[in-house]
Amino acid sequence: MIDTDRLQAIVREAGRIAHSRWPGAGHALHSWDKTPGNLVSEADLEVDRFLTRELKRLLPSAAWLSEETADDKARTASGLIWLVDPIDGTRDFVRGRPGWAVSVALVSSGKPLVGMLAAPARDEEWLAVAGKGATLNGLPLKASTRTQFSGARVPVHSLPMEDTDLVAVEQPNSIALRIAMVADDRADLVATLRWGFEWDIAAATLIAREAGAQVSDAFGRPLAYNKHDPRDFGVLVCSPAIHAAAVERLAERAAALR
C-alpha cells in the first residue's frame, strides 16, 4: 500500500494550486473550449502537470490516465493506475462557484484501492481506502440508508416530470462531489444516463462504497476501471435499499439512450 499521508499532502497541494487560480477567490483565469461545450482552463493544466509529476514520484510503477493527458493505451497492461481529474466541475470552477474538486484514485486490477477528493472552496477533503472506510475532513462517513425510493434526495437543478416523486437538493457541477453527497447522507441517489469517463468517478465511487452506498452503472452492473475504452454508460450511486427500484426506474430510459 502507498503512503496515504503523502498522497493526502499531494492532493491537498493540488487543491491549493487550483484554489489559487479560482475566480471565486478573486483570481483572473484563462479558459477555453477544448471541443464545443467541453471547457478547460489554465488551472486544469497546471494541476494536471503537478499531479503527473508528484504521483509518478510517489508510485513510479503505476500507469496514468487523466482527463487532461493523452491516453496511452499501454496503461491497460499495468496492474496499477492513477485515475485523475485535475478539476472535476470545471464549469463551476470557471464561473467562480464552489462545486468543483480535485479527484485522484489509485486503481489495482480494475478496482479502486484509494480515492481522494480535495474541494478547498467547500473546505472539504474526502478520503477512502478499500476495506478501511471513508472520511470527510478526518471524520468517518456513513452513507444514506433510505429505504423508500419515493422521496429520495437527488442533487439536480430540476426534476423531469417522471421523477417528481423525488426531492431535488443542491447540485454541484462536479459529479464526484454529487456522489460524495450520498456518502455523507446529504443525498440518497445520484444517477447519470450518458457515457462518462472513469477519471470522473473512480475516487468518488470508492468513497461512497466504503461509506456503505451501493454503486453500479445505469443498468445495475458493476463498474470496472482501466478498460481500453475508459467509459461506462451512466453511474448509479444510492442507498442499498433503493438500488433495485432505481435500476427499474431508469432501465427503459437507459436502454433508449445508450
Side-chain angles (χ1 to χ4, degrees), residues 214-246:
Q214 190 155 345
V215 175
S216 70
D217 71 6
F219 298 98
R221 302 174 303 205
L223 296 169
Y225 298 92
N226 198 20
K227 302 183 298 297
H228 182 80
D229 178 358
R231 301 181 303 161
D232 287 287
F233 186 80
V235 61
L236 172 58
V237 180
C238 62
S239 166
I242 66 171
H243 185 262

Side-chain angles (χ1 to χ4, degrees), residues 144-150 152 188 239-243 245:
S144 166
T145 56
R146 186 174 184 85
T147 58
Q148 298 295 319
F149 185 77
S150 181
D188 306 301
S239 166
I242 66 171
H243 185 262

Side-chain angles (χ1 to χ4, degrees), residues 19 21-27 92-97:
H19 196 269
R21 297 282 196 160
W22 181 46
H27 303 291
D92 268 12
F93 182 86
V94 168
R95 292 176 178 173
R97 299 171 181 169

Side-chain angles (χ1 to χ4, degrees), residues 3-220:
D3 182 344
T4 54
D5 289 340
R6 176 61 184 148
L7 174 61
Q8 285 181 269
I10 291 168
V11 179
R12 191 178 298 126
E13 175 63 12
R16 188 203 64 76
I17 292 169
H19 196 269
S20 74
R21 297 282 196 160
W22 181 46
H27 303 291
L29 181 73
H30 178 49
S31 62
W32 61 96
D33 280 350
K34 291 185 288 187
T35 57
N38 188 9
L39 194 63
V40 68
S41 76
E42 58 190 353
D44 293 83
L45 303 184
E46 183 177 356
V47 173
D48 190 67
R49 289 191 295 269
F50 171 79
L51 288 173
T52 301
R53 182 182 72 246
E54 295 300 321
L55 293 177
K56 288 185 176 180
R57 284 177 179 170
L58 180 63
L59 192 61
S61 60
W64 179 264
L65 180 62
S66 162
E67 181 174 10
E68 306 305 340
T69 307
D71 183 3
D72 181 355
K73 298 297 184 182
R75 63 179 168 75
T76 59
S78 176
L80 286 169
I81 185 170
W82 292 109
L83 290 180
V84 172
D85 194 341
I87 300 177
D88 183 48
T90 298
R91 197 161 300 280
D92 268 12
F93 182 86
V94 168
R95 292 176 178 173
R97 299 171 181 169
W100 58 273
V102 177
S103 176
V104 173
L106 178 64
V107 169
S108 174
S109 301
K111 297 180 180 180
L113 280 182
V114 184
M116 185 171 175
L117 304 176
R122 298 162 64 96
D123 294 317
E124 294 175 351
E125 188 173 290
W126 309 74
L127 176 68
V129 177
K132 295 186 177 180
T135 60
L136 168 59
N137 295 340
L139 299 176
L141 286 167
K142 183 173 176 55
S144 166
T145 56
R146 186 174 184 85
T147 58
Q148 298 295 319
F149 185 77
S150 181
R153 297 164 296 168
V154 186
V156 292
H157 292 305
S158 61
L159 290 160
M161 288 296 295
E162 58 266 46
D163 296 323
T164 53
D165 60 329
L166 305 178
V167 176
V169 295
E170 172 209 7
Q171 184 194 39
N173 183 230
S174 163
I175 182 63
L177 286 176
R178 298 200 297 271
I179 291 168
M181 288 172 66
V182 179
D184 193 34
D185 198 15
R186 298 183 213 172
D188 306 301
L189 168 68
V190 169
T192 64
L193 294 175
R194 56 178 173 77
W195 288 100
F197 287 95
E198 294 177 7
W199 54 69
D200 290 322
I201 63 171
T205 52
L206 178 63
I207 292 164
R209 192 188 76 204
E210 286 295 317
Q214 190 155 345
V215 175
S216 70
D217 71 6
F219 298 98

